[in-house]
Amino acid sequence: MPGKRPITPELRTELKTGAFVILLLAAMLSATLASASTLLRGTGDLAIIIERASGAVQIVETTGNTRIGRVAGLGDLSHASAVFSRDGRYAYVFGRDGGLSKVDLLEAKLVTRVLQSGNSIGGAISQDGRLVAVSNYQPGGVKIFDAADLSLVADIPAEYGDGLRSKVIGLVDAPGQRFVFSLWDAGETWVVEMRDPAKPVIRKFKDIGRNPYDGLITPDGRFYIAGLFGEDGMALLDLWHLDKGVERILPGYGKGEQALPVYKMPHLEGWAVAGDRAFVPAVGHHEVLVMDTKTWREVGRIPVQGQPVFVMARPDGRQIWVNFAFPRNDKIQVIDSESLTIIRTLTPGKGVLHMEFEPRGEEVWVSVRDADQVHVYDTASLERRTVLPAHKPSGIFMTARAHRIGL
Amino acid sequence: MPGKRPITPELRTELKTGAFVILLLAAMLSATLASASTLLRGTGDLAIIIERASGAVQIVETTGNTRIGRVAGLGDLSHASAVFSRDGRYAYVFGRDGGLSKVDLLEAKLVTRVLQSGNSIGGAISQDGRLVAVSNYQPGGVKIFDAADLSLVADIPAEYGDGLRSKVIGLVDAPGQRFVFSLWDAGETWVVEMRDPAKPVIRKFKDIGRNPYDGLITPDGRFYIAGLFGEDGMALLDLWHLDKGVERILPGYGKGEQALPVYKMPHLEGWAVAGDRAFVPAVGHHEVLVMDTKTWREVGRIPVQGQPVFVMARPDGRQIWVNFAFPRNDKIQVIDSESLTIIRTLTPGKGVLHMEFEPRGEEVWVSVRDADQVHVYDTASLERRTVLPAHKPSGIFMTARAHRIGL
């Protein structure tokens, strides 16, 4: 054994330095491990909640119904929506101010943000997940970006008539690497095929009706339907047979009734198909319209307590949930899709802005703006299970949308 | 400044030890960082490929179509299938030997494995993701496990007649926290409601027909259909209206034809619904049967080149892909769901055992057992895009199944 060495001041300094380095490395190691274990998780049960007034999104998980992160700095998020990368890790958030933000849900950080127009109204992600499209009001058109770095891939101005540009609404993805959208001012629907991103192939359908205000696509991606604000009715396009052109459906559904002032434009994005019935909001009426999806004819209408905004089917199609425009936006009505009767009226509180079902339908998340809360309901008992705080919450979007056509 | 200290052998030893510790920690830190960056990824585009002969699963991702891991030690994986946790991180693999394995796709490791029976044939995960059920041949019945740790929650022996136990087949999940399955020997379908895991509520339907061999559920979770092997026909149960009981459909579909020896039992799990048509394999015939999903009556039959095994719709319902039993199992036929004609016959190679569509349908993965390969096809051009090596691949399962009813 070597003999003992006297502890000199120099040796003490060296030992201290060594110990410090070791402690520092141990701390770094433990921080890395902690961070890795926080981040290491599946993304299938994640969701974002838009906090519209603060330009932020909350990141939540729907298994334990807890908040796991928050990302701010996303600009004006009134009327914001989102789509997801096919791996479920990234959310693409479309802000009202033309901002397009790519958010990393695992690291809870903003990856990239581009201010791509002056005023926009939603977007879509291509079938293969490689392209993100945004529909713009000002300047009117659609811009398409690389999903990886948000670099511009294609710019499609919504030109019509004599050098005019239209606001674009109702943008959805469709099978065959296509995007479909409508022109509010022009009354047109366009189908853009992006198989070769350098050469978009555009097909235009004119005279679809006055002022299309939103569009939807059937869950199988076959039928695109634009709702019309300028007249009662909707415009149907069969994407399997473009040569058939656009067909007008539900013509004059408000005939003989006094249309009410429309306080909030209804949404079609969250429409409802249950079995062979489709449920859509009637614009300016306290009614939900029921169509047969085989004939696209009206087969019923359900009186509700206000002007419907979102009309959404529970994923199994057994229930239809409806929220409403101001001043009756404190309530939700739940409709039985078979008997077409209202089975429950819930009163979550003022400003019920959005609802999102968990992918297999066991729970539904509801944003209640004025209460600064998100409520989670059990869809079997219709009881409230969880209340989460959120600052002026609006849209709620779950990563399972990544795997659906048109969402 | 302190004076220099002579380097003694003792000091050298100490310094060496200190340096070694520092290097060791640095190596650990860097390994942790590397590992974290490998693991940190979304789970929405993951899939597993069963390597049936080696008791292993490959883990792949469907964005770049690459292999990212492999987990072995899962026992006998002939006829194996899998379901996924709702966050997409874990696969539950059901082996033929009664083994139930929970695999972590991010860390590529086996988390837990239980040998829960002598012989089993597939399983399902509950609507809320908290329960995993397995259907057993020997001893006949269903066992239900906690998805977290695979501890036994409920044991449901498939008893019938005078102390007999039946093989169980066609197990699926259904909305309302239910499992549905059928009894091969007894000719019964059972519905088990697991809202209170301690008190399964079982409802039995008898005399559904001879030897149900597999079951399926419509994508909305409403209709359960058992295929019958002991007679031509299928047994339909409306889960919205259990009181209506089981109805026989497609009776005598093989009438007047000579049934062929059945080399491989067809599967119904991967059945096909496109619009209002359902496509199912005819047992013992070179035909695909077409039903109207509103009336459940036969509306057509499509001659194909062999005995169909899997009949699967592209997620948009535009194409139906069919593989076949030995000896014609080297081919796939692609059917146009509208014209009911075969638009392409592909020849991937001997032993085409399974097909799995990416969730929005742009590509389909095909296992080609005898070639030790998995092929990925572009479903628009029907061209092969990628070939991946795999050892005797059979089932391919993507995490997007976590968000579907009945898969």
Side-chain angles (χ1 to χ4, degrees):
Chain A
M1 271 181 67
K4 286 198 174 169
R5 192 154 47 94
I7 308 247
T8 61
E10 295 79 16
L11 184 57
R12 185 169 293 130
T13 305
E14 269 186 48
L15 288 173
K16 276 187 184 164
T17 308
F20 175 74
V21 169
I22 288 169
L23 281 172
L24 183 70
L25 281 167
M28 284 169 70
L29 179 65
S30 115
T32 306
L33 285 169
S35 147
S37 77
T38 307
L39 300 166
L40 187 65
R41 55 161 298 134
T43 50
D45 59 347
L46 298 184
I48 61 168
I49 299 170
I50 306 284
E51 296 192 330
R52 54 184 280 147
S54 42
V57 296
Q58 266 196 39
I59 303 168
V60 295
E61 56 81 28
T62 69
T63 300
N65 294 352
T66 61
R67 167 176 166 167
I68 61 171
R70 188 168 185 271
V71 178
L74 308 187
D76 179 1
L77 293 187
S78 53
H79 209 285
S81 62
V83 297
F84 296 92
S85 62
R86 67 198 300 290
D87 64 359
R89 176 171 179 177
Y90 301 100
Y92 300 91
V93 181
F94 308 101
R96 188 58 193 253
D97 55 3
L100 168 59
S101 306
K102 181 175 180 176
V103 175
D104 182 338
L105 304 183
L106 287 175
E107 300 200 79
K109 70 177 186 196
L110 179 61
V111 180
T112 322
R113 177 171 158 78
V114 293
L115 208 62
Q116 56 84 43
S117 81
N119 190 314
S120 72
I121 191 75
I125 188 162
S126 64
Q127 183 179 29
D128 69 359
R130 297 184 206 283
L131 301 171
V132 174
V134 191
S135 53
N136 292 319
Y137 276 8
Q138 190 54 44
V142 167
K143 284 188 178 171
I144 300 176
F145 300 87
D146 186 310
D149 59 7
L150 302 190
S151 60
L152 187 68
V153 171
D155 186 356
I156 301 169
E159 288 171 348
Y160 73 105
D162 210 8
L164 298 167
R165 282 180 78 156
S166 171
K167 289 179 183 170
V168 172
I169 54 84
L171 170 64
V172 299
D173 64 276
Q177 195 68 355
R178 294 183 290 182
F179 292 111
V180 189
F181 51 87
S182 297
L183 280 57
W184 162 269
D185 304 288
E188 296 183 8
T189 292
W190 292 13
V191 179
V192 178
E193 195 250 274
M194 292 294 295
R195 208 163 283 284
D196 178 355
K199 291 179 194 154
V201 179
I202 306 177
R203 185 129 176 210
K204 302 177 183 178
F205 298 86
K206 308 203 174 191
D207 301 319
I208 68 156
R210 262 186 298 143
N211 293 136
Y213 68 90
D214 200 1
L216 62 84
I217 192 163
T218 48
D220 62 2
R222 174 168 180 179
F223 295 102
Y224 177 83
I225 301 177
L228 300 175
F229 186 72
E231 56 191 286
D232 286 345
M234 306 182 98
L236 174 80
L237 181 60
D238 181 349
L239 299 174
W240 289 13
H241 299 287
L242 291 179
D243 289 339
K244 285 189 189 166
V246 169
E247 181 190 348
R248 196 72 56 87
I249 58 172
L250 294 186
Y253 63 72
K255 216 169 149 182
E257 294 180 28
Q258 179 68 45
L260 304 166
V262 176
Y263 291 105
K264 180 165 172 52
M265 202 73 96
H267 284 265
L268 296 179
E269 170 263 331
W271 80 320
V273 174
D276 51 3
R277 285 167 169 172
F279 297 77
V280 292
V283 182
H285 298 275
H286 289 192
E287 283 173 345
V288 169
L289 305 178
V290 189
M291 285 185 283
D292 182 315
T293 56
K294 205 157 173 171
T295 61
W296 295 107
R297 293 193 189 283
E298 184 184 324
V299 292
R301 47 180 72 192
I302 303 159
V304 286
Q305 65 94 35
Q307 292 185 20
V309 175
F310 283 101
V311 175
M312 304 177 86
R314 199 172 71 174
D316 68 346
R318 187 70 196 264
Q319 296 173 353
I320 310 295
W321 288 54
V322 187
N323 73 338
F324 300 93
F326 177 84
R328 301 195 174 186
N329 65 3
D330 61 329
K331 291 194 166 47
I332 286 174
Q333 290 193 305
V334 183
I335 296 168
D336 178 280
S337 67
E338 205 171 34
S339 65
L340 307 186
T341 55
I342 291 165
I343 54 174
R344 191 75 64 91
T345 299
L346 303 167
T347 309
K350 287 216 186 271
V352 172
L353 296 190
H354 197 225
M355 305 168 289
E356 176 93 336
F357 287 93
E358 291 178 10
R360 294 210 276 163
E362 65 272 28
E363 294 183 328
V364 61
W365 290 54
V366 174
S367 53
V368 192
R369 183 194 54 206
D370 296 3
D372 288 317
Q373 290 175 340
V374 168
H375 297 179
V376 184
Y377 287 84
D378 177 331
T379 64
S381 66
L382 304 179
E383 299 295 322
R384 199 168 73 187
R385 271 193 185 163
T386 311
V387 174
L388 291 168
H391 185 54
K392 302 288 170 246
S394 57
I396 304 170
F397 302 94
M398 297 184 188
T399 54
R401 285 173 174 252
H403 309 307
R404 310 280 187 201
I405 294 167
L407 289 184
Chain B
M1 269 180 71
K4 286 197 175 170
R5 190 153 48 93
I7 308 251
T8 62
E10 294 80 15
L11 184 56
R12 185 170 290 132
T13 305
E14 269 187 47
L15 287 172
K16 275 187 184 165
T17 308
F20 175 75
V21 169
I22 287 169
L23 282 173
L24 183 71
L25 282 166
M28 284 169 68
L29 179 65
S30 115
T32 306
L33 283 168
S35 148
S37 76
T38 306
L39 300 167
L40 188 65
R41 55 161 298 135
T43 50
D45 59 347
L46 298 184
I48 61 168
I49 300 169
I50 307 283
E51 296 191 330
R52 53 184 280 147
S54 42
V57 296
Q58 265 196 42
I59 303 168
V60 295
E61 56 79 29
T62 68
T63 301
N65 294 351
T66 61
R67 167 176 166 166
I68 60 172
R70 189 168 185 270
V71 179
L74 307 187
D76 178 2
L77 294 187
S78 54
H79 209 284
S81 63
V83 297
F84 296 92
S85 61
R86 68 198 301 289
D87 63 359
R89 177 171 179 178
Y90 301 100
Y92 299 92
V93 181
F94 307 101
R96 190 56 192 253
D97 56 3
L100 167 59
S101 306
K102 181 174 179 176
V103 174
D104 182 338
L105 304 183
L106 287 175
E107 300 200 79
K109 70 176 187 197
L110 179 61
V111 180
T112 322
R113 176 171 157 78
V114 293
L115 208 62
Q116 55 85 43
S117 80
N119 190 314
S120 72
I121 191 74
I125 188 163
S126 64
Q127 183 179 31
D128 70 358
R130 295 184 206 284
L131 301 171
V132 174
V134 191
S135 54
N136 292 319
Y137 276 8
Q138 191 56 43
V142 168
K143 283 188 179 172
I144 301 176
F145 300 88
D146 185 311
D149 59 6
L150 301 190
S151 59
L152 186 68
V153 171
D155 186 356
I156 301 170
E159 288 171 349
Y160 74 104
D162 210 7
L164 298 167
R165 283 180 77 157
S166 172
K167 289 179 184 169
V168 171
I169 55 83
L171 170 64
V172 299
D173 64 276
Q177 195 68 358
R178 293 184 290 181
F179 292 110
V180 189
F181 51 86
S182 297
L183 281 58
W184 162 270
D185 305 287
E188 297 183 6
T189 292
W190 292 13
V191 180
V192 178
E193 195 251 274
M194 292 295 295
R195 208 163 282 286
D196 178 355
K199 290 179 194 154
V201 179
I202 306 176
R203 185 129 174 209
K204 303 177 183 178
F205 297 87
K206 308 202 172 189
D207 301 319
I208 68 156
R210 264 186 297 143
N211 294 136
Y213 68 90
D214 200 1
L216 61 85
I217 192 163
T218 48
D220 62 2
R222 175 167 179 179
F223 295 102
Y224 176 83
I225 300 176
L228 300 175
F229 186 72
E231 55 192 287
D232 285 346
M234 305 183 96
L236 174 80
L237 181 60
D238 181 350
L239 299 174
W240 289 13
H241 299 287
L242 291 179
D243 288 339
K244 284 188 191 168
V246 169
E247 182 190 348
R248 196 72 57 86
I249 58 173
L250 295 187
Y253 63 71
K255 219 167 146 181
E257 294 180 29
Q258 179 66 46
L260 303 167
V262 176
Y263 291 105
K264 180 165 172 53
M265 202 74 97
H267 283 265
L268 296 178
E269 171 264 331
W271 79 320
V273 174
D276 52 4
R277 284 167 169 172
F279 297 78
V280 293
V283 183
H285 298 275
H286 290 192
E287 284 173 345
V288 169
L289 305 178
V290 189
M291 285 186 284
D292 183 315
T293 56
K294 204 159 174 170
T295 62
W296 296 108
R297 292 192 189 284
E298 184 183 323
V299 292
R301 47 181 71 193
I302 304 159
V304 287
Q305 65 94 35
Q307 293 185 20
V309 175
F310 282 101
V311 175
M312 304 178 85
R314 200 173 69 176
D316 68 345
R318 188 70 195 265
Q319 296 172 353
I320 311 295
W321 287 54
V322 186
N323 74 338
F324 300 93
F326 178 84
R328 302 197 173 184
N329 65 3
D330 61 329
K331 291 193 166 47
I332 285 173
Q333 290 192 305
V334 183
I335 297 168
D336 178 280
S337 67
E338 204 171 33
S339 65
L340 307 186
T341 55
I342 292 165
I343 54 174
R344 190 77 63 93
T345 299
L346 303 167
T347 309
K350 288 216 186 272
V352 173
L353 295 190
H354 197 224
M355 306 168 288
E356 176 93 336
F357 287 93
E358 291 177 10
R360 293 210 277 162
E362 65 273 28
E363 293 183 329
V364 62
W365 291 55
V366 174
S367 53
V368 191
R369 184 195 53 204
D370 296 4
D372 288 317
Q373 289 176 341
V374 168
H375 297 180
V376 184
Y377 287 84
D378 178 332
T379 64
S381 65
L382 304 180
E383 298 297 321
R384 199 168 73 185
R385 271 193 186 164
T386 311
V387 174
L388 292 168
H391 184 53
K392 302 287 169 245
S394 57
I396 303 170
F397 303 94
M398 297 185 188
T399 54
R401 286 173 173 251
H403 309 306
R404 310 281 187 199
I405 294 166
L407 290 183

